[in-house]
Structure formats: C-alpha cells, structure tokens
Amino acid sequence: MPIDFAARLNPAQLEAVTATEGPVLVIAGAGSGKTRTLVYRLARLVSQGVEPSSILLLTFTRKAAAEMLARAERLLGMALGGVQGGTFHAFSFATLRRNPEASGHAGSLTIMDRGDAEEALSHVIAELGAGKGDKSFPKKGFVLELISKSRNKELPIPEILSRESYQLLPHAAALEEIARGFERYKRGHGLLDYDDMLFTLEQALTRDAALLERLRERHRYLMVDEYQDTNLVQARLVKLLAGERGNVMAVGDDAQSIYAFRGANVENILSFPRIYPGTRVVRLEQNYRSTQPILDLTNAVLRQAKDRFDKNLFSERLAGPKPEVVKAYSDQTQAQLAVRRIRELRREHLPCEIAVLFRAGYQSYALELALNKEGVPFQKYGGLRFSEAAHVKDAVAFLRVVHNPRDVVAWKRVLVLVDKVGEKTALKIAASAREGDFQALDAQRRKNPGLDALFSFLEELRADPGGPASLLERAVVFYTPTLTRLHPEDYPRRLAGLEQLSQIAASYAHLEAFLADLALENPEEERKGVREDAVVLSTVHSAKGLEWPAVLILDLVDERFPSRHALARPEDLEEERRLLYVACTRAKDSLTLYVPGTVYNRAGGGSQPAMPSLFVRELPRECFTELRETFSGGLTPALQAQAAAEPRPSWDAPSSGGSRFASRGVAARQPLAADPDDPRAEPGGSPFASASDACGTGAMSYCSHRIFGRGKVVAVLDGGKCRVNFPGFGLKVILREYLEMEP
C-alpha cells in the first residue's frame, strides 16, 4: 500500500522529503521532527525506485543510523540492507579497508583504540623525555585529547591552550614536539588512530580520482544528520562525495551548534548555501514539544544572535504558563527555591519528568546538598556529584580529621596527598595518629618535610578551628598547590567547584552539621537507565536531544551563564547563547530560570553582586513572569516587590561608568527587593552603637539568617532589632525574630 506522505507530514516536512535532487539544507528547529523528516525522505527515495545501495546516510552515532533505517523499513515493509548508514568514522574505515592502496598504508590497516593510542603516546613521551621530573606537566590522557582537539579544530596547540588551558602554555613547545613525535610513531608502525581515519580518507580521495569517482557513482543520494556538529574535515568529505552534482541533503540547526570544544564548526551549516550554489533551504519551524509561551521566550533568545538562519518556532499547543524568571538573593538561596519548585512540580509530574540544567557540573553542588537533606533522589549527568569528586573529598578530609582525629579514612586521604607517602605508609601513620603514638609521628615528620607541613597545618586548625567556612577556606589554601600538582590540566575548574563548596559551608555554624549533611547520600543511582523516582540534574551539553515536562535552569548570571571565558570572544559568546536556546527548548510544559543576585567568590572574600545574564537582560518583559525572593523565603511578583522597595534602576539598564555594577548603585551588594510584609535589611550605621539585652542575647554573639547566612551581632537596637555583620554582605539591621541566635 503506497504511503500517503502528504497526510503524514506538515508542509515544511513534505517539502524537505520531496526535494530529492540537488543540494538541500533543512534547518530543523528544536522539536520539529527532524528524524521523522529524514526517515520519510529515505522511504520516499526507495519507494520512487532509487536503489537503496545508492543512498549514503551519515550520522554521529551508530544508534541514530540504525534507528532511522529500522523506522524506514517499517514504513516500507521491506528490508533496506543496501543502504550504507553510519558514522563518518565507520564510513571512512570501511572505505579505507576496501581500498588499502589508496590509503597509503600497505597491507591491512591497524586502527588503535583509546588504550592503544595512550600506550603509543607513552613511548613517544618517554623517548623525548618530555616533562620528566616536572609535576606540572599534563598527563598522557590529556595530551592525547589535546592532540585530537588540535587536529579536529585544525588549530595549533598553543592556540588551543591559550583558549582553554592557559596554565599549560609554558609547556606548549614540548606538547607540539610530542604531537610531531606521535605522528612519526604512527607512520613508522603502520597505525591509525580515530582521527586519522577522516584525514586519511580525505587524502585518499584527493589523490585517487578513480576512487573518488566510484564513490560518487555509488552514493548518488547523500544525507547528513546533525550537520551543525560537523568539523572542518567532515564538511570537506561531504563536499568531495557530493561532487559537481551536489546531490546532498544536510539536516541540522545552526542554533543547536554547541560542541565547538570538540571541533564542531557552526560555519559549516551557515555557509552551506554559499558552498553549494542553488541550495534549497527548508525551515522546519513547527515544534511538537513545547507550549507557545516557552517558544516565545526561546525565539527571543535567538533573535539577538549575530549570524543565524531566521526561524520562528511555533506550536499548536497555545495554552500554558509563561516561563518564570526567579530573582534569588544568592546562589545559596537559589538552591532552596529550586527544591521548593521541585516539590510543587512533583504534585503533577513524576520525579524523572523534572530536570534541573546548568552550565557547569559544579553549579549544582548546593542543590545536590539541599536535595539530599530533603531526601529527594536524583540522577546527575555531565560532571560528578560533589560527593564523588576527588578534589572535594580531599578538601573535606582535612575538616574530617580536625573534627574526628580517629577518622582513619580521612587520615589516609590527606596523607596520600603528601609527596612520597603511599597507601601502606599512610595507613601506618593514621594508626599512630589514632593511637596517639607521638614518638612514631615525630619520627615520620623528621623524615618527610611534607608530613611535617601537614601536621603543623592540622595543629593550627585544631588550635583555632573557627566555623566550617573558615576551616574550609584554610584547607583549600593549603590544598591548592597539591591540587595543581595532581590535576595540572584542569585545576581552575576544580577550584571553581571548591569555591561553590565554600559558599555552602558559609551557611553553617557548626562543623558537625556541615559534615553530616555532606555525608547524606542518595541511593546509588542506576546508570543503566532512567529512574522514575529520581529528579534529573544535568549539564546543558548532556541534555541535548532530551526533553522533560518541567525544566529549571540555574545560575543565569554573567560569568556563569555565559561562562567567564565566553565573555572574551564573540564567537564563544554566540555559542553560549545557543546553549541557552538548547536548554530552554528541552522544556515541554514548564520553564523556570533562576537569576541569583549574589554569587560566592572566594577570591573576593565572600558573596559578590552578580549581573543577570546578558541573555536574560535582552529578553522582552512580555516573554516571562518575573518573581523575586522575599526575606521570608517566599516569592512575590516583581512589580509588587518593587512597589515595596525604594526606587532603583531596572536590571536591564546598561551599566555606566567604571564599575560593571554601577547601574545598581551603592546598594549593589545588598539583596534587591523585599516583600511588604517583611522588614528590609538596612545598611548599618556605626558599629559602635551601644548594646542592650533587648534581643535576649548581647552584642558580639553569633546568629544565622536564612538569606545572609552566619553573622556577628555588633549592636542590639530598640524595637527588637539587631545590627549584624554578615561576611560578604556587610552590616544589616534586621528584626530579632528573623534571626536564629546561637547560645
């Protein structure tokens, strides 16, 4: 029975499916039925009499190709064994294997896997003596990734380092020499690695005109999925295979090009019509996933992009709540608000239907802790949970030893960080420490200066522990040289995670409570599949291709989303914009964006004011509902909050003058708005005002506030108020009933 394509496809999809000759570019907006379009085009070609063996379907995963072929077979009711479908690398290897003489490699081809490549690289590094005795030199796994990234981006190694790993620039010359040695090693031993397959095929096709012509004759219909993710050599291979006839359909979305760090080049899809004259551009704009209010916001995000294909996503699902932009006081209270929102959403959705997305893995640490305390299971994708990260465990181990000198596990963890201390020695020293054998400990200290430094540091901490934040701050300072030695490739990222942990510690008065909450663990997550009882936490990169009824996005402030490094380069900033588009288009029914007013900055000495993300500031007000956190921890509409507060500039007023926070005035360090039923925290006057016992507790005692964390009462005022100094926030005057006083 013939397939009624017109009845099963919308007009844009039908246009793409029936455009079978010449170059076609399908700009497939998020949730617009891209895979369906490819499947139906494949089925239509075969139903029109095209030999399956003349179709080449290139994808980025074997699974995607297999799924498309299976769906097309079900549509047609026949097998499509003749269609060649698979990844670029699989196609390259199959072609080279059938034509070894064209590859320039005599005899059979030997392809190295990751383990083989690392072993070969080890030989090269040893032969060159690179980094010998230098503990800041990167590990071989990182070097291999760096060489691969340099090849795929077709950029010199120093340029890659200056963009992504500036701390390794002193090793640039040595790393370039290793890359050259690696190439010599592979050629000398007749080996190819994963990247070589693409470049070797390109060289074979440019050298062997007969082979190129045979491939063009065989693969007369070329289809490429996710074209926005192609790198430079993949785009050149497509051009070689398409030839003058240019019978190629590329399907993708320039607005979902978010893998530049892997070598993807958005210019490939943007320049497609120029490279292939006469290209028919088909836009798939009908979205089958999200409600129209969500799409209105995502369209607004894209509207500010510099280079793009115009598209306007629309849906038949017109009803639905507007996305919410929640202005939290800080990144710490943001976590509490997100947990509250998750509780609300669980009345309507299964936990697995709720996703919290973020730019970098460490940005979920506070939320992970809050979910653990609430007993809410979660699965995390993209980045380790804070309780699993080695650098977090290391830093916390110092605090555990101070809290409990008999904690052998913590002792072992801090001891093995010392140079020349192995596992057996660490256990021996830990046993001496637990038993109070000071003679044995002194002997070890005399033998190893590193141990002497460690014990001196721990003695200082025990003598003057301070609160959890102070302890952790000092532990991080002591640990940082070790961190840079152990992880020279990415210690800046790990330090950012420790900053986030320091911010969490600042909200605790007692070390025991802090360590207890850190130890609260989710049940071991099943990594084989989705758990219905677990909320999803994910980086945006790991979320691409997925969808959820409800999505929350954290940390929408400059230097976090967009990330700090992206603010320096226009092309990186544009990719960050596309990343937010991808995040927003994962939502089907509900979308919430969180904008903390302050973020913790260890280098700055506490919480610092944050500028709402450039992408949020650009959004038209009619696209979202703005809510602001109140002192009581609730949310109130922005207009109501502003009416209760003193006049101040809007968040989207451009900053003027030297400070990037100038538009927010002197009060930029203060939380922004209060609700009319709560007392506003006022900037304090003189810290030397006379104290009384009106609070029941005198000045110079400590207290906690749910927004500002732990502080010191410097004065007790009339009317049941206290003047409190909060680290990172300064002096505040707050009603006693909003403070939890420490005995």
Side-chain angles (χ1 to χ4, degrees), residues 168-193:
L168 296 175
L169 275 171
H171 302 302
L175 291 166
E176 286 185 296
E177 181 56 35
I178 291 171
R180 289 190 289 268
F182 188 49
E183 288 303 308
R184 289 193 300 269
Y185 183 94
K186 288 185 294 183
R187 284 197 302 272
H189 293 81
L191 301 170
L192 295 178
D193 65 16

PDB file of all heavy atoms in Angstrom, residues 168-193:
ATOM      1  N   LEU A 168      48.789  25.820  31.035  1.00  0.00           N
ATOM      2  CA  LEU A 168      49.739  24.891  30.431  1.00  0.00           C
ATOM      3  C   LEU A 168      50.550  25.517  29.303  1.00  0.00           C
ATOM      4  O   LEU A 168      51.338  24.817  28.649  1.00  0.00           O
ATOM      5  CB  LEU A 168      48.985  23.657  29.901  1.00  0.00           C
ATOM      6  CG  LEU A 168      48.287  22.798  30.954  1.00  0.00           C
ATOM      7  CD1 LEU A 168      47.489  21.678  30.292  1.00  0.00           C
ATOM      8  CD2 LEU A 168      49.290  22.213  31.935  1.00  0.00           C
ATOM      9  N   LEU A 169      50.382  26.811  29.052  1.00  0.00           N
ATOM     10  CA  LEU A 169      51.114  27.468  27.964  1.00  0.00           C
ATOM     11  C   LEU A 169      52.635  27.325  28.090  1.00  0.00           C
ATOM     12  O   LEU A 169      53.318  27.216  27.059  1.00  0.00           O
ATOM     13  CB  LEU A 169      50.715  28.947  27.880  1.00  0.00           C
ATOM     14  CG  LEU A 169      49.457  29.236  27.059  1.00  0.00           C
ATOM     15  CD1 LEU A 169      49.035  30.694  27.216  1.00  0.00           C
ATOM     16  CD2 LEU A 169      49.695  28.909  25.584  1.00  0.00           C
ATOM     17  N   PRO A 170      53.208  27.322  29.294  1.00  0.00           N
ATOM     18  CA  PRO A 170      54.666  27.124  29.370  1.00  0.00           C
ATOM     19  C   PRO A 170      55.134  25.802  28.759  1.00  0.00           C
ATOM     20  O   PRO A 170      56.310  25.660  28.420  1.00  0.00           O
ATOM     21  CB  PRO A 170      54.945  27.166  30.882  1.00  0.00           C
ATOM     22  CG  PRO A 170      53.836  27.996  31.447  1.00  0.00           C
ATOM     23  CD  PRO A 170      52.640  27.661  30.616  1.00  0.00           C
ATOM     24  N   HIS A 171      54.233  24.839  28.624  1.00  0.00           N
ATOM     25  CA  HIS A 171      54.600  23.534  28.057  1.00  0.00           C
ATOM     26  C   HIS A 171      54.248  23.430  26.573  1.00  0.00           C
ATOM     27  O   HIS A 171      54.340  22.327  26.008  1.00  0.00           O
ATOM     28  CB  HIS A 171      53.881  22.412  28.814  1.00  0.00           C
ATOM     29  CG  HIS A 171      54.168  22.375  30.280  1.00  0.00           C
ATOM     30  ND1 HIS A 171      55.441  22.254  30.787  1.00  0.00           N
ATOM     31  CD2 HIS A 171      53.341  22.455  31.354  1.00  0.00           C
ATOM     32  CE1 HIS A 171      55.391  22.249  32.105  1.00  0.00           C
ATOM     33  NE2 HIS A 171      54.131  22.376  32.484  1.00  0.00           N
ATOM     34  N   ALA A 172      53.829  24.512  25.943  1.00  0.00           N
ATOM     35  CA  ALA A 172      53.326  24.448  24.564  1.00  0.00           C
ATOM     36  C   ALA A 172      54.346  23.846  23.610  1.00  0.00           C
ATOM     37  O   ALA A 172      54.014  22.980  22.780  1.00  0.00           O
ATOM     38  CB  ALA A 172      52.902  25.838  24.100  1.00  0.00           C
ATOM     39  N   ALA A 173      55.601  24.287  23.675  1.00  0.00           N
ATOM     40  CA  ALA A 173      56.624  23.796  22.743  1.00  0.00           C
ATOM     41  C   ALA A 173      56.838  22.292  22.915  1.00  0.00           C
ATOM     42  O   ALA A 173      56.938  21.542  21.929  1.00  0.00           O
ATOM     43  CB  ALA A 173      57.936  24.557  22.955  1.00  0.00           C
ATOM     44  N   ALA A 174      56.900  21.827  24.165  1.00  0.00           N
ATOM     45  CA  ALA A 174      57.094  20.398  24.424  1.00  0.00           C
ATOM     46  C   ALA A 174      55.901  19.588  23.924  1.00  0.00           C
ATOM     47  O   ALA A 174      56.063  18.496  23.359  1.00  0.00           O
ATOM     48  CB  ALA A 174      57.308  20.162  25.915  1.00  0.00           C
ATOM     49  N   LEU A 175      54.701  20.130  24.093  1.00  0.00           N
ATOM     50  CA  LEU A 175      53.499  19.421  23.642  1.00  0.00           C
ATOM     51  C   LEU A 175      53.441  19.348  22.114  1.00  0.00           C
ATOM     52  O   LEU A 175      53.001  18.341  21.545  1.00  0.00           O
ATOM     53  CB  LEU A 175      52.247  20.106  24.202  1.00  0.00           C
ATOM     54  CG  LEU A 175      52.066  19.965  25.723  1.00  0.00           C
ATOM     55  CD1 LEU A 175      51.010  20.935  26.243  1.00  0.00           C
ATOM     56  CD2 LEU A 175      51.694  18.533  26.087  1.00  0.00           C
ATOM     57  N   GLU A 176      53.881  20.400  21.446  1.00  0.00           N
ATOM     58  CA  GLU A 176      53.943  20.356  19.980  1.00  0.00           C
ATOM     59  C   GLU A 176      54.940  19.304  19.505  1.00  0.00           C
ATOM     60  O   GLU A 176      54.689  18.590  18.528  1.00  0.00           O
ATOM     61  CB  GLU A 176      54.336  21.735  19.433  1.00  0.00           C
ATOM     62  CG  GLU A 176      53.221  22.766  19.496  1.00  0.00           C
ATOM     63  CD  GLU A 176      53.629  24.072  18.839  1.00  0.00           C
ATOM     64  OE1 GLU A 176      54.563  24.718  19.338  1.00  0.00           O
ATOM     65  OE2 GLU A 176      53.011  24.429  17.819  1.00  0.00           O
ATOM     66  N   GLU A 177      56.059  19.201  20.187  1.00  0.00           N
ATOM     67  CA  GLU A 177      57.066  18.198  19.823  1.00  0.00           C
ATOM     68  C   GLU A 177      56.518  16.784  20.035  1.00  0.00           C
ATOM     69  O   GLU A 177      56.761  15.882  19.232  1.00  0.00           O
ATOM     70  CB  GLU A 177      58.337  18.413  20.644  1.00  0.00           C
ATOM     71  CG  GLU A 177      59.460  17.434  20.320  1.00  0.00           C
ATOM     72  CD  GLU A 177      59.848  17.443  18.843  1.00  0.00           C
ATOM     73  OE1 GLU A 177      59.804  18.529  18.214  1.00  0.00           O
ATOM     74  OE2 GLU A 177      60.173  16.358  18.315  1.00  0.00           O
ATOM     75  N   ILE A 178      55.743  16.589  21.113  1.00  0.00           N
ATOM     76  CA  ILE A 178      55.116  15.281  21.351  1.00  0.00           C
ATOM     77  C   ILE A 178      54.139  14.954  20.220  1.00  0.00           C
ATOM     78  O   ILE A 178      54.089  13.816  19.736  1.00  0.00           O
ATOM     79  CB  ILE A 178      54.393  15.271  22.710  1.00  0.00           C
ATOM     80  CG1 ILE A 178      55.408  15.323  23.857  1.00  0.00           C
ATOM     81  CG2 ILE A 178      53.506  14.031  22.850  1.00  0.00           C
ATOM     82  CD1 ILE A 178      54.785  15.534  25.220  1.00  0.00           C
ATOM     83  N   ALA A 179      53.356  15.947  19.798  1.00  0.00           N
ATOM     84  CA  ALA A 179      52.391  15.717  18.710  1.00  0.00           C
ATOM     85  C   ALA A 179      53.108  15.296  17.430  1.00  0.00           C
ATOM     86  O   ALA A 179      52.661  14.371  16.728  1.00  0.00           O
ATOM     87  CB  ALA A 179      51.564  16.976  18.473  1.00  0.00           C
ATOM     88  N   ARG A 180      54.241  15.951  17.125  1.00  0.00           N
ATOM     89  CA  ARG A 180      55.008  15.575  15.923  1.00  0.00           C
ATOM     90  C   ARG A 180      55.592  14.165  16.093  1.00  0.00           C
ATOM     91  O   ARG A 180      55.575  13.356  15.152  1.00  0.00           O
ATOM     92  CB  ARG A 180      56.112  16.589  15.662  1.00  0.00           C
ATOM     93  CG  ARG A 180      55.603  17.946  15.183  1.00  0.00           C
ATOM     94  CD  ARG A 180      56.745  18.831  14.705  1.00  0.00           C
ATOM     95  NE  ARG A 180      57.577  19.286  15.817  1.00  0.00           N
ATOM     96  CZ  ARG A 180      57.386  20.429  16.474  1.00  0.00           C
ATOM     97  NH1 ARG A 180      56.380  21.228  16.141  1.00  0.00           N
ATOM     98  NH2 ARG A 180      58.196  20.772  17.465  1.00  0.00           N
ATOM     99  N   GLY A 181      56.083  13.868  17.281  1.00  0.00           N
ATOM    100  CA  GLY A 181      56.627  12.538  17.532  1.00  0.00           C
ATOM    101  C   GLY A 181      55.562  11.454  17.433  1.00  0.00           C
ATOM    102  O   GLY A 181      55.824  10.340  16.962  1.00  0.00           O
ATOM    103  N   PHE A 182      54.354  11.767  17.884  1.00  0.00           N
ATOM    104  CA  PHE A 182      53.244  10.813  17.808  1.00  0.00           C
ATOM    105  C   PHE A 182      52.910  10.483  16.353  1.00  0.00           C
ATOM    106  O   PHE A 182      52.673   9.323  15.996  1.00  0.00           O
ATOM    107  CB  PHE A 182      52.034  11.395  18.532  1.00  0.00           C
ATOM    108  CG  PHE A 182      50.879  10.450  18.706  1.00  0.00           C
ATOM    109  CD1 PHE A 182      51.068   9.171  19.208  1.00  0.00           C
ATOM    110  CD2 PHE A 182      49.585  10.844  18.389  1.00  0.00           C
ATOM    111  CE1 PHE A 182      49.996   8.298  19.381  1.00  0.00           C
ATOM    112  CE2 PHE A 182      48.506   9.988  18.564  1.00  0.00           C
ATOM    113  CZ  PHE A 182      48.725   8.713  19.057  1.00  0.00           C
ATOM    114  N   GLU A 183      52.919  11.503  15.499  1.00  0.00           N
ATOM    115  CA  GLU A 183      52.661  11.276  14.074  1.00  0.00           C
ATOM    116  C   GLU A 183      53.754  10.385  13.469  1.00  0.00           C
ATOM    117  O   GLU A 183      53.468   9.475  12.685  1.00  0.00           O
ATOM    118  CB  GLU A 183      52.585  12.606  13.319  1.00  0.00           C
ATOM    119  CG  GLU A 183      51.334  13.421  13.600  1.00  0.00           C
ATOM    120  CD  GLU A 183      50.070  12.643  13.287  1.00  0.00           C
ATOM    121  OE1 GLU A 183      49.953  12.109  12.160  1.00  0.00           O
ATOM    122  OE2 GLU A 183      49.199  12.552  14.176  1.00  0.00           O
ATOM    123  N   ARG A 184      55.008  10.658  13.823  1.00  0.00           N
ATOM    124  CA  ARG A 184      56.113   9.839  13.302  1.00  0.00           C
ATOM    125  C   ARG A 184      55.974   8.390  13.774  1.00  0.00           C
ATOM    126  O   ARG A 184      56.196   7.455  13.007  1.00  0.00           O
ATOM    127  CB  ARG A 184      57.458  10.404  13.769  1.00  0.00           C
ATOM    128  CG  ARG A 184      57.856  11.712  13.115  1.00  0.00           C
ATOM    129  CD  ARG A 184      59.329  12.043  13.370  1.00  0.00           C
ATOM    130  NE  ARG A 184      59.633  12.174  14.796  1.00  0.00           N
ATOM    131  CZ  ARG A 184      59.565  13.324  15.468  1.00  0.00           C
ATOM    132  NH1 ARG A 184      59.182  14.442  14.846  1.00  0.00           N
ATOM    133  NH2 ARG A 184      59.861  13.373  16.757  1.00  0.00           N
ATOM    134  N   TYR A 185      55.602   8.221  15.037  1.00  0.00           N
ATOM    135  CA  TYR A 185      55.454   6.875  15.601  1.00  0.00           C
ATOM    136  C   TYR A 185      54.375   6.099  14.841  1.00  0.00           C
ATOM    137  O   TYR A 185      54.566   4.930  14.489  1.00  0.00           O
ATOM    138  CB  TYR A 185      55.098   6.976  17.082  1.00  0.00           C
ATOM    139  CG  TYR A 185      54.999   5.644  17.785  1.00  0.00           C
ATOM    140  CD1 TYR A 185      56.091   5.118  18.471  1.00  0.00           C
ATOM    141  CD2 TYR A 185      53.815   4.906  17.771  1.00  0.00           C
ATOM    142  CE1 TYR A 185      56.011   3.890  19.131  1.00  0.00           C
ATOM    143  CE2 TYR A 185      53.721   3.682  18.411  1.00  0.00           C
ATOM    144  CZ  TYR A 185      54.825   3.183  19.090  1.00  0.00           C
ATOM    145  OH  TYR A 185      54.734   1.963  19.719  1.00  0.00           O
ATOM    146  N   LYS A 186      53.241   6.732  14.612  1.00  0.00           N
ATOM    147  CA  LYS A 186      52.141   6.045  13.919  1.00  0.00           C
ATOM    148  C   LYS A 186      52.547   5.647  12.504  1.00  0.00           C
ATOM    149  O   LYS A 186      52.279   4.523  12.056  1.00  0.00           O
ATOM    150  CB  LYS A 186      50.890   6.933  13.895  1.00  0.00           C
ATOM    151  CG  LYS A 186      50.220   7.073  15.248  1.00  0.00           C
ATOM    152  CD  LYS A 186      48.912   7.858  15.158  1.00  0.00           C
ATOM    153  CE  LYS A 186      49.134   9.313  14.775  1.00  0.00           C
ATOM    154  NZ  LYS A 186      47.873  10.076  14.750  1.00  0.00           N
ATOM    155  N   ARG A 187      53.193   6.576  11.796  1.00  0.00           N
ATOM    156  CA  ARG A 187      53.616   6.257  10.425  1.00  0.00           C
ATOM    157  C   ARG A 187      54.638   5.126  10.429  1.00  0.00           C
ATOM    158  O   ARG A 187      54.584   4.222   9.594  1.00  0.00           O
ATOM    159  CB  ARG A 187      54.219   7.497   9.752  1.00  0.00           C
ATOM    160  CG  ARG A 187      53.192   8.520   9.294  1.00  0.00           C
ATOM    161  CD  ARG A 187      53.797   9.485   8.283  1.00  0.00           C
ATOM    162  NE  ARG A 187      54.958  10.187   8.821  1.00  0.00           N
ATOM    163  CZ  ARG A 187      54.884  11.336   9.493  1.00  0.00           C
ATOM    164  NH1 ARG A 187      53.698  11.899   9.694  1.00  0.00           N
ATOM    165  NH2 ARG A 187      55.972  11.920   9.950  1.00  0.00           N
ATOM    166  N   GLY A 188      55.570   5.165  11.365  1.00  0.00           N
ATOM    167  CA  GLY A 188      56.616   4.150  11.418  1.00  0.00           C
ATOM    168  C   GLY A 188      56.102   2.768  11.771  1.00  0.00           C
ATOM    169  O   GLY A 188      56.733   1.762  11.435  1.00  0.00           O
ATOM    170  N   HIS A 189      54.962   2.695  12.437  1.00  0.00           N
ATOM    171  CA  HIS A 189      54.425   1.397  12.864  1.00  0.00           C
ATOM    172  C   HIS A 189      53.142   1.027  12.125  1.00  0.00           C
ATOM    173  O   HIS A 189      52.470   0.050  12.492  1.00  0.00           O
ATOM    174  CB  HIS A 189      54.163   1.406  14.374  1.00  0.00           C
ATOM    175  CG  HIS A 189      55.402   1.505  15.198  1.00  0.00           C
ATOM    176  ND1 HIS A 189      56.043   2.706  15.431  1.00  0.00           N
ATOM    177  CD2 HIS A 189      56.138   0.543  15.845  1.00  0.00           C
ATOM    178  CE1 HIS A 189      57.110   2.492  16.196  1.00  0.00           C
ATOM    179  NE2 HIS A 189      57.192   1.196  16.454  1.00  0.00           N
ATOM    180  N   GLY A 190      52.789   1.786  11.085  1.00  0.00           N
ATOM    181  CA  GLY A 190      51.599   1.465  10.296  1.00  0.00           C
ATOM    182  C   GLY A 190      50.311   1.510  11.080  1.00  0.00           C
ATOM    183  O   GLY A 190      49.444   0.641  10.938  1.00  0.00           O
ATOM    184  N   LEU A 191      50.162   2.535  11.925  1.00  0.00           N
ATOM    185  CA  LEU A 191      48.994   2.643  12.800  1.00  0.00           C
ATOM    186  C   LEU A 191      48.152   3.865  12.453  1.00  0.00           C
ATOM    187  O   LEU A 191      48.680   4.886  11.999  1.00  0.00           O
ATOM    188  CB  LEU A 191      49.442   2.739  14.262  1.00  0.00           C
ATOM    189  CG  LEU A 191      50.268   1.577  14.814  1.00  0.00           C
ATOM    190  CD1 LEU A 191      50.845   1.931  16.166  1.00  0.00           C
ATOM    191  CD2 LEU A 191      49.423   0.309  14.902  1.00  0.00           C
ATOM    192  N   LEU A 192      46.861   3.741  12.687  1.00  0.00           N
ATOM    193  CA  LEU A 192      45.945   4.881  12.556  1.00  0.00           C
ATOM    194  C   LEU A 192      45.180   5.026  13.863  1.00  0.00           C
ATOM    195  O   LEU A 192      44.816   4.026  14.491  1.00  0.00           O
ATOM    196  CB  LEU A 192      44.932   4.662  11.425  1.00  0.00           C
ATOM    197  CG  LEU A 192      45.443   4.572   9.987  1.00  0.00           C
ATOM    198  CD1 LEU A 192      44.272   4.308   9.046  1.00  0.00           C
ATOM    199  CD2 LEU A 192      46.165   5.836   9.579  1.00  0.00           C
ATOM    200  N   ASP A 193      44.915   6.266  14.274  1.00  0.00           N
ATOM    201  CA  ASP A 193      44.026   6.468  15.412  1.00  0.00           C
ATOM    202  C   ASP A 193      42.665   6.919  14.897  1.00  0.00           C
ATOM    203  O   ASP A 193      42.422   6.994  13.693  1.00  0.00           O
ATOM    204  CB  ASP A 193      44.621   7.441  16.436  1.00  0.00           C
ATOM    205  CG  ASP A 193      44.790   8.860  15.904  1.00  0.00           C
ATOM    206  OD1 ASP A 193      44.185   9.191  14.850  1.00  0.00           O
ATOM    207  OD2 ASP A 193      45.522   9.646  16.525  1.00  0.00           O
TER     208      ASP A 193
END
